[in-house]
Amino acid sequence: MPVFERHVFVCTNVRPAGAPRPSCTTDGTSPVHTAIQQAAKAAGLAGSQVRINKSGCLDQCEHGPTVVVYPDAVWYGNVRPEDAEEIVQEHLIAGRPVERLRIADACINAKTCPHRA
Amino acid sequence: MPVFERHVFVCTNVRPAGAPRPSCTTDGTSPVHTAIQQAAKAAGLAGSQVRINKSGCLDQCEHGPTVVVYPDAVWYGNVRPEDAEEIVQEHLIAGRPVERLRIADACINAKTCPHRA
């Protein structure tokens, strides 16, 4: 397969102060992106295997900082840089999504997400 | 499935003048992103079904502007705003990737891509 085995998108969105929905970063730089990228590199994952990508708003703002991993379509919320190693070792290498970080099904892409009230 | 049926990432990366690899946009705004987003909306695709996302560098720079559609992992290159309608109608609605826009397998995520010479 020439495509990435896994393609990780980390939201770097930032909204103006006072916006009705929260932002995943404060200034467009993402310590979470940097941490996952560094952990993947340290683990020896090749750039042709896995890509840790920045993305625009992933629209799960109340759960930010958010991360989505494709092609699995596994969504993580409230991700901190300290979670990077576990995401890399467990999910990207061992293929086991990190359950404790997953956004609840009832919240993903749902206007009825209770956190959006 | 609560996840998006399809999640489209459009590269908006811009490099400084003189950079060794090309950029997918000239100033960070992406007419391709706008066109696909508008075509999806006009076609009645709900935001909970399909998301047209901006992304950072997707690393297929010699084929830009580039687009990747997940969970299919279908890569498109040299995408123009005029291609938006076909991507939406054929791929996002009918489920048939637009073959004429696909990046060749030999080029995707390949340092040996002949266009990178």
Side-chain angles (χ1 to χ4, degrees):
Chain A
M1 289 274 285
V3 297
F4 296 121
E5 291 172 20
R6 286 203 175 78
H7 200 160
V8 179
F9 292 89
V10 181
C11 183
T12 65
N13 196 45
V14 53
R15 290 193 166 87
R21 299 186 74 190
S23 302
C24 279
T25 72
T26 52
D27 61 1
T29 62
S30 168
V32 171
H33 176 266
T34 303
I36 299 177
Q37 197 172 51
Q38 289 177 343
K41 190 174 180 184
L45 289 172
S48 56
Q49 274 180 292
V50 164
R51 183 163 180 82
I52 315 302
N53 226 103
K54 295 178 186 173
S55 86
C57 177
L58 293 167
D59 203 26
Q60 319 300 322
C61 315
E62 290 72 18
H63 299 269
T66 58
V67 171
V68 61
V69 182
Y70 283 106
D72 325 37
V74 166
W75 287 84
Y76 294 130
N78 296 305
V79 182
R80 301 159 307 155
E82 307 89 275
D83 299 318
E85 184 71 15
E86 189 173 355
I87 290 171
V88 168
Q89 292 295 334
E90 283 296 306
H91 191 165
L92 304 188
I93 295 177
R96 294 184 292 259
V98 181
E99 297 300 332
R100 71 179 179 83
L101 294 174
R102 290 181 84 154
I103 300 176
D105 280 359
C107 294
I108 299 176
N109 309 327
K111 286 224 164 71
T112 53
C113 161
H115 304 93
R116 291 187 67 166
Chain B
M1 288 272 287
V3 297
F4 296 120
E5 291 172 20
R6 286 201 175 80
H7 200 160
V8 179
F9 292 89
V10 181
C11 182
T12 66
N13 196 44
V14 53
R15 290 195 166 87
R21 299 187 75 190
S23 300
C24 279
T25 72
T26 52
D27 61 1
T29 62
S30 168
V32 171
H33 176 266
T34 304
I36 300 176
Q37 198 172 50
Q38 289 177 343
K41 190 173 180 184
L45 289 171
S48 56
Q49 273 179 291
V50 165
R51 183 163 179 82
I52 316 300
N53 227 103
K54 295 178 186 173
S55 86
C57 177
L58 293 168
D59 203 26
Q60 320 299 322
C61 315
E62 290 71 18
H63 299 269
T66 58
V67 171
V68 62
V69 182
Y70 283 106
D72 326 37
V74 166
W75 287 84
Y76 294 130
N78 296 304
V79 182
R80 301 159 308 156
E82 307 91 274
D83 300 318
E85 185 70 15
E86 189 174 354
I87 290 170
V88 168
Q89 293 294 335
E90 284 295 305
H91 190 165
L92 304 188
I93 294 177
R96 294 183 292 259
V98 181
E99 296 299 332
R100 70 178 180 83
L101 293 175
R102 290 181 84 154
I103 301 176
D105 281 359
C107 294
I108 299 176
N109 310 325
K111 286 224 164 71
T112 53
C113 161
H115 304 92
R116 291 188 67 167

